[in-house]
Structure formats: C-alpha cells, structure tokens
Amino acid sequence: MTLDTKAFSDVVAATVKEYVQREALDRIDALEKRLAEVEASGLRFLGVWQRAVDYRRGSVVTSEGSSWVALKATSPAEKPGDCDAWALVAQRGRDGRVA
C-alpha cells in the first residue's frame, strides 16, 4: 500500500479548515450573546461608591470626584482606582469657573 501524500494533505487541510471555522463560529456566537447581554442591561448609575456594596458589571459610581464603571462583578471593598474591576469614565479635574 502506498501513501498518497497529496490526498492525505488535502484531507488534513480540509479537517483543519473545518475545525477552525467551527471554533470561530462558536466564538462569534459567544461574543454576540455577551454583547446582547451588555446592550440589554446598559449602564446603571448608582451614586457614590460604598464600601459595603456589591456592584454588577455596568454599574456606574462616583468616587473622590471621578466617575467609574464596573467591568465585572465586584465584592465589597474593591474600590474604584484600587483594582482592575473598575474603569475610569471621567477623571476629577480642577474646579471650573462659576459663570
């Protein structure tokens, strides 16, 4: 029995292509579901950050004059600016002039 390397190579290439396409489609589906969840829940402004409160992803709080959004669920005492659970939305600046 002789090994037909061209046929073998074609089968391997087709199998790899199918696997990669299936993996890509699975990842796209997962990302679309995650995006739909984010869009459905939106951002929720919850006022001044409180140490004893659990926040969910999408929660927006103020802390020391800056605004922060939770990137994931946080546990109590995960203070904005002190951990990677929060992203800065607007940084506190110099007081503006009163018109």
Side-chain angles (χ1 to χ4, degrees):
M1 178 175 2
T2 60
L3 178 63
D4 183 353
T5 56
K6 169 87 169 97
F8 179 76
S9 177
D10 290 346
V11 169
V12 170
T15 303
V16 169
K17 181 179 179 182
E18 181 182 333
Y19 174 79
V20 169
Q21 287 175 337
R22 186 177 33 226
E23 287 293 312
L25 290 174
D26 289 347
R27 292 185 78 183
I28 289 169
D29 286 344
L31 288 171
E32 286 177 340
K33 288 177 186 175
R34 184 174 171 196
L35 179 60
E37 290 174 11
V38 169
E39 289 177 340
S41 64
L43 300 176
R44 293 168 306 283
F45 180 70
L46 299 174
V48 177
W49 175 80
Q50 297 179 40
R51 176 179 38 229
V53 175
D54 289 325
Y55 293 96
R56 296 186 337 210
R57 182 175 56 167
S59 298
V60 177
V61 297
T62 60
S63 177
E64 298 178 9
S66 297
S67 298
W68 300 84
V69 63
L71 301 175
K72 60 182 181 179
T74 69
S75 60
E78 284 187 293
K79 185 177 179 181
D82 289 350
C83 65
D84 63 354
W86 296 93
L88 183 64
V89 175
Q91 187 171 9
R92 176 183 177 189
R94 233 176 102 185
D95 293 340
R97 207 170 22 153
V98 177

